[in-house]
Amino acid sequence: MKHAIISLFTAVTAAFCGCSGFASTNIASVKTSGTDYTYTAQDAVNLQDFLLAKPTEENLKDKPYDLNGDDIWDIFDLCLMRREIMNQSKNDTDTIVVYFSRTNNTKKVAEYIIELTDADSYEIEAAIPYTDDDIEYTNSSCRANKEQGDKTARPEIAEPIESIDSYDVVYLGYPIWWGEEPRIIDTFLESYDFSDKIVIPFCTSASSGNAASEKNIADLVPIGNLLEGKRFSANTSKESIEDWVNSLKIPEKEADTKMKINVNGHTLTATLEENSSADALVKLLENGPVTIDMSDYSNFEKVGELPQELPRNDEQLDTDCGDLILYLGNRFVIYYDKNSWSFTKLGHIDDVTQEELKSILGDDNVTVELSLY
């Protein structure tokens, strides 16, 4: 479904986004005021038809299609809508299959897992590709032999994936080289944070097992939950791989606790921390929304007093834009710039840039309303 949506929007908007003649057309808008709206393929079709003055099956009167807030529905809104749906489609899976495969044996297994789980995928490729001579087992001086004999070797990855933050589950596939995982797998593991991930190793080999490689992985970096993996031969059937995938007991990740921040006509969403301070804030908000008058301080934060004191979990922190902080137990702080002090982190505002947050909060005193999402 994800790939179908992406294809649809490529077709729908390709002729418009970047077409300056059409983008300059001024079309009177239907005023909308929607929030927390999930755009669909049909919304893009509706807006496209509207821009082309074609009849639509739906009544568009209250549709939130003015995405850039200029009171006009135009091609810019269609482009922004496309981006929203593309982002939604990118994030509709919490699983990724990451694999390194020199002879395509591991790739075959990985592709089966991708098909079975509908996961995203990323193939690790070496910046300097491995040749047949590089993996010649009988040659003690070949490249792979030298790397496998050096626990500190870290072959460079050609095009590293930007981030794995949006994934909860990572299938990690590799061939067994000299009884262990290839060192390029170590490069990958040391490049990202796996402390809250579920990692599921799988490997291919003619005879060697996976015990040594899994121990190496466990010892190399902090991993939230390293599940027992599986070794496959080159001719393993899809049915055998499916049986293994179905047998996995993957723990369900608890949903993040979300909070809404209404300020100056904008609704921001924040993800709360897992600590007693944030828990106490949630209990407070369960009784209803809380309004806080906040003042600006030192051009990097807005601060206001909470109606009651919360438990403190103070530690020395370097704040970033969007951090929500508890100070002295009863002051709620929104940071729009950096600071360093000992206080308690309550959460972080989602998906907002520093420039956007500064604009929303403004330069003067501001009133915010906190409520549970």
Side-chain angles (χ1 to χ4, degrees), residues 258-261 268-270 272 281 285 324 332 370-371 373:
K258 299 284 187 177
M259 179 178 71
K260 290 193 292 187
I261 303 174
L268 302 171
T269 302
L272 297 180
L281 178 60
L285 297 179
L324 306 178
F332 180 77
L370 310 181
S371 60
Y373 190 80

Side-chain angles (χ1 to χ4, degrees), residues 39-110:
Y39 295 98
T40 67
Q42 187 58 52
D43 287 314
V45 173
N46 288 343
L47 183 54
Q48 173 197 348
D49 288 345
F50 174 84
L51 297 178
L52 294 173
K54 294 171 63 177
T56 60
E57 295 182 3
E58 294 185 60
N59 183 345
L60 306 185
K61 179 180 179 182
D62 296 318
K63 294 290 187 181
Y65 292 171
D66 179 20
L67 279 78
N68 64 353
D70 62 356
D71 293 338
I72 294 174
W73 288 3
D74 55 23
I75 185 57
F76 299 110
D77 296 311
L78 184 59
C79 290
L80 289 172
M81 185 184 293
R82 174 180 178 269
R83 186 178 67 180
E84 285 288 322
I85 298 173
M86 292 283 284
N87 287 338
Q88 290 164 198
S89 66
K90 288 177 183 176
N91 295 326
D92 64 2
T93 178
D94 65 355
T95 302
I96 186 171
V97 178
V98 177
Y99 64 95
F100 169 71
S101 185
R102 166 57 183 79
T103 62
N104 289 330
N105 290 335
T106 306
K107 183 174 185 176
K108 177 183 175 182
V109 176

Side-chain angles (χ1 to χ4, degrees), residues 118-132:
D118 196 29
D120 287 347
S121 65
Y122 168 66
E123 181 176 4
I124 299 170
E125 296 182 331
I128 302 175
Y130 289 90
T131 66
D132 290 341

